[in-house]
Structures are given as C-alpha cells and as structure tokens.
Amino acid sequence: MKLSDRVQAMQNSPIRKFNPMAAEAKAQGTKIYHLNIGQPDIVTPSVFMESIKGFDQKVLAYAESPGLPELQDSIIDYFKTFDMSLDRKDILITSGGSEALTLVFLSLINPGDEVIVAEPYYTNYLTFIQAADGVIKPVTTYAEDGYKYAYMDRLEAAVTEKTKMISIVNPGNPTGCILSREDMRVICDFAKKHDLWILADEVYREFAYDGREMTSFGQYEDVADRVIIIDSISKRFSACGARIGCLISKNADLMANVMKIAMGRLCCPTLEMVGATALYKLDPAFFSEVRAEYEKRRNVSYEALKKIPGVVCEQPGGAFYITCKMPVENTEDLLVFLLKEFRENNETVMYAPAEGFYATPGLGKNELRIAYILNAEDMARGIELLGKGIEAYKAAGHK
Amino acid sequence: MKLSDRVQAMQNSPIRKFNPMAAEAKAQGTKIYHLNIGQPDIVTPSVFMESIKGFDQKVLAYAESPGLPELQDSIIDYFKTFDMSLDRKDILITSGGSEALTLVFLSLINPGDEVIVAEPYYTNYLTFIQAADGVIKPVTTYAEDGYKYAYMDRLEAAVTEKTKMISIVNPGNPTGCILSREDMRVICDFAKKHDLWILADEVYREFAYDGREMTSFGQYEDVADRVIIIDSISKRFSACGARIGCLISKNADLMANVMKIAMGRLCCPTLEMVGATALYKLDPAFFSEVRAEYEKRRNVSYEALKKIPGVVCEQPGGAFYITCKMPVENTEDLLVFLLKEFRENNETVMYAPAEGFYATPGLGKNELRIAYILNAEDMARGIELLGKGIEAYKAAGHK
C-alpha cells in the first residue's frame, strides 16, 4: 500500500505551503499584504457573469471535449490581432493553463526525458513535469542580469540526448523577464537546431511595459510545427477562479494525441466557457487600461524595493512579478519571522520564497518573488513592511 | 520531436470517436437516438444556477486548492446519511470524477504497476491508468452472469507482485452490475489479504434499483486506510457540464501527497463549486424521484432489448447502463452501418461498442453498451431502431 515514487518526490507548493501560517496570523487580527500569489485585484469584467447569467439550458450537459466552438472562435479572433491564423482544430480548451501544461508533458515526455527550463521557474512546472516522470534541466539565470536566458551558448550547454523540449514562460513568471524579438529568434533557432518542441506559456502576453511589443511564438512560421502555446483567461481578465485556459498548436499529430487524454477527462465546465467566450471578445482598450495600471504598480514596487539596502534586481519588463536577491541568507526563514513575529500597526507582508523555483540545489535561498497585484499604495506599504521586517529580523540576530 | 510512448499507446475514446459520423448524419437531417453517452436528460435542479447567479464577488479569484470549504461541508453532511463521518481534510474537490481518478493513479502507480479492473470497464480508466504508466490487469466478466466480478478465486488469479490496487465502479459503468454487501465484503477481504488500495468510484451510488440498498466502501471500518472514494455531481444531479467531483480518503499520507499535485493545478472553478454546494444540500426526495424514473427506463430498455433475437444480458441492478452481447460479429461495424446507411423515418440510433471496454484482445467485439438516459418512450424507440437496424444489417449480408 505504497504511494508512487513520483508523488513522493514532489515538493509542496512553495507558494501555497505558508498559507496555514498566514491563516493563523489573520485569525489573530493581523492584516497581511499578500504579495505572494498572482491573484490580481482587478475587477473581473462584468460581461463574464452577465453571459453566465444568460445561460438558459435546462440540462447542464457535457460540452464537446475540445471545448465550446464559440469559445474556440473567439480565441481565433483574438489571435488575429497578432497576425496568427488559427483553426478550431488547433485549439483545445483546458481547465486553466495548468491542465494544458499537464496534457503537454504527458503527451511529450517519456520517463527520464529532459525539459530545458530557465531557473528560477514557475514552481508548478516542476510538479507537472514530475507527473510525467520527466526531469527539469535548468539554465541558471541571475538577478544581476535581469534573469535573462536567451543565450545560445547557455542553452546549448543544457542539451543532452535526453532533451525533448524547451519550456518558456514569456513574459516570465517568476522573474518578469520578457523576450525581445531577437531573443525569440535565438530560441527558435536553438529549437530547430536540436529538434526540440517549444512550449510557450504566454498567459502574461498583454503585460508588456515601457511600450514593448506584445508577441507570440505563434508568429514564427519556421517553427510552427514545434510550437505549443498556452493561453489562459486567469491573469489577462482577472478571472483566476474560472479555470479556463487553452493549448494551441499547429501540429496535427500532437493535437490528435493530446485529444486522446482530453476525451478521457470529457470536457471543461460549460458555464465558465460561456463566460470566457465573452471575455475574449472584449475591446483591446480593456488591456491598455489594465496594462497602464500594472506598469504603475511595477514602477512603485521597483522603487520601493530599491530602497531596501542590499536588494539586487533589474526592473522587469513584463508580467506582474519581480524576483530579487535579498540581504538575508534564507527567505523562507524570513517569511516565517514575518508571519509569526513581525508586526507594524498589526500588519505584515507575505511573498513567495524562491528556493523552490530552482532545480539546482542551494540556489535561490536568498531570493524571493513579489507579485505586484495590489494597488500602488498597498504595494508601497507591503514592500515597506518587507524592509522593516528585514531590519527587525536582523536586529533579532538572524542573518 | 517525438510524442511520448504513453500517449501513442492510448486509444481514442471508443465512446466519442464516432461523434463526427453522427454529426454528419445530423447535418443531413437525421434524428439520432443517443444511447451512446451517459448524458442524462433530467433537468439540472434550479438551485444550481440560482446560487451561481447569487455570486457577487467583484473579483473571481482562485479558490483554495482543496476546494471551497462550504462545498466540503455540504459533502460531509451528505455522507452522514451513509453513516460516514468525514472531515474537510478527507475531501479534495476535483474537476469532475475524471480529475480525481487522474490524481489517484498518478499518486499510487509506478511505471508497470498493475491495477485490477473488472472488464468490460469504463473505457477512460484505461486512459487514466496509461497516463500514469500503469497497466490494467483485467478480471473478465460475462454477459450470461450479469457481469459479476466479486469472486475471490477470480480476483486472486489476477494478483501478481506488481498489483497495487483494485479499481471498482459501483454501481457499474458500463455493465450496471451492483455489488451486494456480501460482494463488498469479498472485495475488502481480498484487498486486505494482498495489501491493496481500493479505488471505489461511486458516482452512481443513488442509482440502485428494485429496493437495493445504497452503499459506500467508506462504511467498512477495517479498510478505512486503504479506501479511496470518487464522487461527482455529474450523474447524481444531472450536472455533467459542471465538472465537479471529489476524492475522499481517510488515509492522511495519501491526501497529503495528492495535495502536492492538486496545489500545482491551483483550484477548481469557484462558480461551479458554489452551485455544487447547493446541489449536495438537496432533499433526498430528489433522488427518490430520479431513481424511480431511471428504474422505469431500465425496465422498458431491458424489455425492448430482450425482444431483439439473440441478445444476451441480465437485467442490471444499478447505474444507468446495460451492456449486452449482440447477434452480430462486430458492433463497431454495425454502428457505422447505423450511422451511415440505416434509417427508418429518417431516424437512427447510436450506442457505445464494447470492444474498447476490454483489455483482453478479441473480447467485446460483439457487445455494446446502452445508456438509458432518455425518457421511456425514446428508449423504446431507440432500441426498436437497434433491432430493425440489425435486421437490415444482416439483410445487407453482414454477419
């Protein structure tokens, strides 16, 4: 009556594992600034609930396994603004980007196969890859260099005969690093040279700042057969609780095989697909407004972070995260201190410690990720608390 | 740029793969009696949509990974009527029973581990087990014997050193076979003797006819640490499109490890969990009414099937399926004939061919599954069409 080796090898989510400690602090009346999870505070556009309220079928029946055709069509239209021409058969609707990732790894990875991933990485990638008995082959990146990874020599150093794919989040979680057109070209050439799949998680596509272009790996014709795009309404439309994402690929063989698993799980929730259909049709003006708001939050957050002595980070160009090196030895210990001991006006702050974002043992212990998903004022206060918390932590004799 | 061996070894859903052919027939104006899929026509209780419409949070945020506490609580209350005492920590809310099954197999199965399953089985089990690189070890059952499988000698003949668990659907899909208390005792003793997990998929729990008792493996104290229950609102409340199910176990080690994967996929859709909370609170009178309706449909369907010369089946005691042996050599060929060539008053019928429900090569070719999910009149007409279709099929020279 044993458990599987794979599940025992998995870690607890380094983002969510401190939640019970936070719940305890809240129960004592402490206000916590949650900079630890990518849960935006932006109001979900009202068309989402309105279209769901309009659903009037008497029987809430199974949907077709690939997803509601209306939703596929509104995704097709959305991608036209990126000069991409998709068909319904290229799109599988999934339960969030998370399910799309699980399906991809199960469909591509044999036990022991390697996936090249820049570290620090979105920690759940490790879980999804381990679920398929795959292995992360990290390309280490550095705070001093803005966590950039599109260097041909560093990528090539990670290739072995077991390498099956390169997995990218662009704009990046947890670093906010965003690829330029030149960077994307490097990655396409790298994938072609070594005959690799490119998994492009682009759920933060619209979160590109300082006038940067919004891009997609789906725009590169010469790698069309090897690109798999992950999309999601969670961040873009502040609809994380809807759990609607999709997997997009022009590779018919891949899609046919992914569909075998997708048929097994039957379908995604009908109502949420109805709501998502309306969201994908929103005027791009919605994004511009949201983008401006996040750019402001990023600026405020970055400025506040730089005020903390010893913090190392570059200003990130996209998504809504900043990862940085902190002037402490262990950010998990610091977080426990913040949740259990530190208070100012009965307030404290929470972030995601970065050690769990690294495959290379020993790295990331002194790093953390902040999500700038609160309004500018709250971000400033949250980071101020972080600075004061570090002072108190050190004053208490910690390093 | 290859796909994984596991996905290539998977089959297309034998239930859904004929859908394109059906769509073609419909496009030509043909009415199809869909006896092929477990999609009930019972109206989804209105409290589901009403409670969702009452959801008024401005931001549709991530839920906690284990699920909405209110939903867990209403599941706890529901199981009290089965004399089962559950805690929140015993319950993980999942995207339908399907996700619960995937999580269980990924958490228990190492590559090559064997799962004992009575064949014919719900075909998606094969997909879920293959996704975890596991192997189905079938215990063959027979139409002449009502597809019973709770025989200690037959179960023991399937045990090897690779056996990890026994997987049960009770009441059964696709056979409608239902376990007596004595049968359940046999299975519990078998699992204890060979130190196996018991996976009990009980999504059809309330669909027990002829006054049979509704049961759960959760009622057997002596196997509490090895039982994993799968539940779902899909069939019970005719809410298949909601995709809300759950995984229940008193084994804390299992639950802690399953949660690692569940945290990776973040959470289930919030709105659907709100609706499901209301459904689990429905008065049991709802089930009695639905049960009486299905019992009527079963009776009509069974009578209609027995009128077709050469059909072999026992009257099933639960769920809403009948699997039977047909007087043709290949029910997939027959289905193609029904969808492409046979019409009466521009009507035809669709069922699920059973070959894909068997692991043993060659078995099930002459069997099929019918879901009695239409009203009694439509069931009678659908099965009448099946009988006439077989006549036409044979008249056309097929065997």
Side-chain angles (χ1 to χ4, degrees):
Chain A
M1 249 184 64
K2 285 183 189 156
L3 301 172
S4 67
D5 296 336
R6 76 170 72 79
V7 82
Q8 293 183 82
M10 288 177 186
Q11 61 177 353
N12 280 303
S13 164
I15 301 182
R16 292 193 164 213
K17 75 178 175 184
F18 294 94
N19 286 2
M21 224 175 274
E24 213 169 287
K26 271 185 229 177
Q28 293 159 5
T30 299
K31 174 172 179 179
I32 299 176
Y33 288 80
H34 280 283
L35 314 185
N36 56 307
I37 186 164
Q39 170 57 60
D41 67 344
I42 303 281
V43 171
T44 311
S46 58
V47 291
F48 181 81
M49 277 307 291
E50 282 159 17
S51 54
I52 287 176
K53 286 179 182 173
F55 181 83
D56 61 358
Q57 291 172 29
K58 295 286 178 222
V59 180
L60 183 61
Y62 287 121
E64 284 296 301
S65 296
L68 278 194
E70 306 90 287
L71 175 54
Q72 292 176 311
D73 289 347
S74 82
I75 291 173
I76 290 170
D77 284 345
Y78 161 82
F79 275 102
K80 282 180 186 159
T81 63
F82 293 90
D83 290 324
M84 285 165 59
S85 168
L86 300 175
D87 293 318
R88 285 186 188 171
K89 65 176 169 42
D90 307 328
I91 302 172
L92 169 68
I93 309 300
T94 54
S95 289
S98 304
E99 189 194 30
L101 291 169
T102 299
L103 292 176
V104 168
F105 292 122
L106 286 175
S107 299
L108 298 185
I109 298 295
N110 282 328
D113 279 354
E114 293 175 355
V115 183
I116 294 180
V117 180
E119 67 179 0
Y121 45 74
Y122 174 49
T123 176
N124 292 330
Y125 270 76
L126 180 58
T127 306
F128 301 139
I129 290 168
Q130 284 178 320
D133 294 325
V135 176
I136 282 188
K137 184 78 179 184
V139 173
T140 306
T141 67
Y142 304 93
E144 293 79 358
D145 186 33
Y147 296 104
K148 294 194 192 75
Y149 55 89
Y151 300 108
M152 187 63 92
D153 55 340
R154 295 194 206 167
L155 295 173
E156 295 211 308
V159 175
T160 75
E161 57 182 14
K162 291 265 187 190
T163 310
K164 199 68 167 277
M165 58 199 293
I166 176 165
S167 181
I168 284 159
V169 184
N170 182 49
N173 176 7
T175 65
C177 174
I178 187 167
L179 298 173
S180 68
R181 284 282 178 198
E182 294 67 34
D183 292 334
M184 294 173 83
R185 189 67 258 165
V186 167
I187 286 163
C188 291
D189 290 343
F190 167 70
K192 282 165 74 176
K193 183 169 172 191
H194 298 281
D195 198 24
L196 307 179
W197 295 93
I198 300 173
L199 176 61
D201 180 340
E202 301 179 346
V203 301
Y204 299 100
R205 188 182 299 106
E206 283 77 13
F207 301 94
Y209 310 123
D210 313 311
R212 282 180 178 83
E213 186 189 3
M214 293 178 288
T215 62
S216 173
F217 273 96
Q219 297 166 319
Y220 292 75
E221 287 294 333
D222 62 325
V223 289
D225 59 332
R226 63 181 76 242
V227 165
I228 305 162
I229 296 168
I230 307 296
D231 212 49
S232 162
I233 67 168
S234 294
K235 314 294 178 173
R236 188 175 308 142
F237 302 109
S238 196
C240 296
R243 315 307 302 127
I244 294 293
C246 67
L247 181 166
I248 298 172
S249 173
K250 289 278 184 190
N251 187 306
D253 189 31
L254 169 70
M255 293 306 282
N257 277 279
V258 166
M259 272 306 298
K260 295 180 189 170
I261 314 183
M263 281 192 175
R265 65 53 159 146
L266 303 171
C267 65
C268 286
T270 304
L271 293 179
E272 313 281 356
M273 288 197 282
V274 168
T277 304
L279 290 177
Y280 267 105
K281 287 180 178 162
L282 274 179
D283 192 288
F286 168 77
F287 304 136
S288 323
E289 218 173 288
V290 170
R291 191 180 308 119
E293 172 63 23
Y294 277 107
E295 188 162 330
K296 186 170 88 183
R297 294 174 179 191
R298 181 205 56 172
N299 295 344
V300 165
S301 305
Y302 181 70
E303 288 311 313
L305 277 168
K306 295 299 275 186
K307 279 188 201 148
I308 302 176
V311 164
V312 179
C313 66
E314 295 276 296
Q315 176 159 276
F320 41 61
Y321 304 102
I322 305 180
T323 293
C324 39
K325 231 189 240 181
M326 303 303 293
V328 299
E329 285 181 0
N330 189 313
T331 54
E332 294 208 2
D333 284 351
L334 172 62
L335 184 54
V336 172
F337 177 83
L338 292 174
L339 291 173
K340 293 207 170 229
E341 301 182 39
F342 174 76
R343 300 290 185 273
E344 188 186 78
N345 294 338
N346 206 18
E347 294 182 337
T348 191
V349 63
M350 205 171 166
Y351 53 78
E355 186 180 359
F357 301 172
Y358 283 84
T360 306
L363 293 185
K365 280 186 196 296
N366 61 344
E367 295 178 47
L368 59 78
R369 183 196 77 174
I370 273 170
Y372 43 95
I373 37 59
L374 304 181
N375 64 58
E377 197 183 332
D378 285 347
M379 287 308 305
R381 171 62 179 156
I383 297 171
E384 181 189 35
L385 283 166
L386 175 59
K388 291 187 173 178
I390 291 172
E391 273 177 44
Y393 181 72
K394 295 201 161 180
H398 301 287
K399 284 187 182 173
Chain B
M1 248 184 64
K2 286 183 189 156
L3 301 172
S4 67
D5 296 337
R6 76 171 71 80
V7 81
Q8 293 183 81
M10 288 177 187
Q11 61 177 354
N12 280 301
S13 163
I15 302 181
R16 293 194 163 210
K17 75 179 175 184
F18 295 93
N19 286 2
M21 227 175 272
E24 214 170 287
K26 272 186 228 175
Q28 293 158 7
T30 299
K31 173 172 180 179
I32 299 177
Y33 288 79
H34 280 284
L35 314 184
N36 55 306
I37 187 163
Q39 170 56 61
D41 68 345
I42 303 282
V43 171
T44 312
S46 58
V47 290
F48 181 81
M49 276 308 290
E50 281 158 18
S51 55
I52 287 177
K53 286 178 182 173
F55 181 84
D56 61 359
Q57 291 172 28
K58 296 286 177 223
V59 180
L60 184 61
Y62 287 120
E64 284 297 301
S65 294
L68 279 193
E70 306 90 286
L71 175 54
Q72 291 176 312
D73 289 346
S74 82
I75 291 173
I76 289 170
D77 285 343
Y78 162 82
F79 274 103
K80 283 181 187 159
T81 63
F82 294 90
D83 290 324
M84 285 165 59
S85 168
L86 300 176
D87 292 317
R88 285 187 187 170
K89 65 176 170 40
D90 307 328
I91 303 172
L92 169 68
I93 309 300
T94 55
S95 289
S98 305
E99 190 194 30
L101 291 169
T102 299
L103 292 176
V104 168
F105 293 123
L106 286 175
S107 300
L108 298 186
I109 297 295
N110 282 327
D113 280 354
E114 293 175 355
V115 183
I116 294 179
V117 180
E119 66 178 0
Y121 45 74
Y122 174 50
T123 176
N124 292 331
Y125 270 77
L126 180 57
T127 305
F128 301 137
I129 291 169
Q130 285 178 319
D133 294 325
V135 177
I136 281 188
K137 185 78 179 184
V139 173
T140 305
T141 68
Y142 303 94
E144 293 78 359
D145 186 32
Y147 295 103
K148 294 193 191 76
Y149 55 90
Y151 300 108
M152 187 63 91
D153 56 339
R154 295 193 205 167
L155 294 173
E156 296 213 306
V159 175
T160 75
E161 58 183 15
K162 290 265 188 190
T163 309
K164 197 70 167 274
M165 58 198 294
I166 177 166
S167 180
I168 284 159
V169 185
N170 182 49
N173 175 8
T175 66
C177 174
I178 187 167
L179 298 174
S180 68
R181 284 283 177 197
E182 293 69 32
D183 292 335
M184 292 172 85
R185 190 67 258 166
V186 167
I187 286 163
C188 291
D189 290 343
F190 167 70
K192 281 165 72 176
K193 183 167 171 192
H194 298 282
D195 197 24
L196 307 179
W197 295 92
I198 300 173
L199 176 61
D201 180 341
E202 302 179 346
V203 302
Y204 299 100
R205 188 181 300 107
E206 283 77 12
F207 301 94
Y209 310 123
D210 313 312
R212 283 179 177 85
E213 185 190 3
M214 294 179 286
T215 62
S216 173
F217 273 96
Q219 296 165 322
Y220 291 75
E221 287 293 332
D222 63 324
V223 288
D225 59 331
R226 60 182 76 242
V227 165
I228 305 161
I229 296 167
I230 307 295
D231 211 50
S232 163
I233 66 168
S234 294
K235 314 294 179 173
R236 186 175 310 143
F237 302 109
S238 196
C240 296
R243 316 306 301 126
I244 294 292
C246 67
L247 181 166
I248 298 172
S249 174
K250 288 279 184 190
N251 188 306
D253 189 31
L254 169 70
M255 294 305 283
N257 278 278
V258 165
M259 271 308 297
K260 295 179 189 171
I261 315 183
M263 281 194 176
R265 64 57 158 145
L266 304 172
C267 64
C268 285
T270 304
L271 293 180
E272 314 280 355
M273 288 197 281
V274 168
T277 303
L279 289 177
Y280 267 104
K281 288 180 179 164
L282 272 178
D283 192 287
F286 168 78
F287 305 136
S288 325
E289 216 172 290
V290 170
R291 191 179 309 117
E293 172 63 25
Y294 275 107
E295 186 161 332
K296 187 170 90 184
R297 293 174 179 191
R298 182 206 55 173
N299 295 343
V300 165
S301 304
Y302 182 70
E303 287 311 312
L305 276 169
K306 294 301 277 186
K307 279 188 199 146
I308 301 176
V311 163
V312 179
C313 65
E314 296 276 297
Q315 177 161 275
F320 41 63
Y321 304 101
I322 306 180
T323 293
C324 40
K325 232 188 238 179
M326 302 304 291
V328 298
E329 286 182 357
N330 190 313
T331 54
E332 293 209 2
D333 284 353
L334 172 63
L335 183 55
V336 172
F337 177 81
L338 291 173
L339 290 174
K340 293 208 171 229
E341 300 183 39
F342 174 76
R343 300 289 185 275
E344 189 186 74
N345 295 339
N346 206 18
E347 295 181 338
T348 191
V349 62
M350 206 168 166
Y351 53 77
E355 187 181 359
F357 300 170
Y358 283 85
T360 306
L363 293 185
K365 279 185 197 298
N366 61 344
E367 296 177 47
L368 58 77
R369 183 196 76 173
I370 273 169
Y372 43 95
I373 36 58
L374 305 180
N375 65 57
E377 198 182 331
D378 284 348
M379 287 308 305
R381 173 61 181 158
I383 296 172
E384 182 189 37
L385 282 166
L386 174 59
K388 291 187 172 179
I390 291 173
E391 272 178 42
Y393 182 72
K394 295 202 160 179
H398 301 286
K399 282 184 182 175

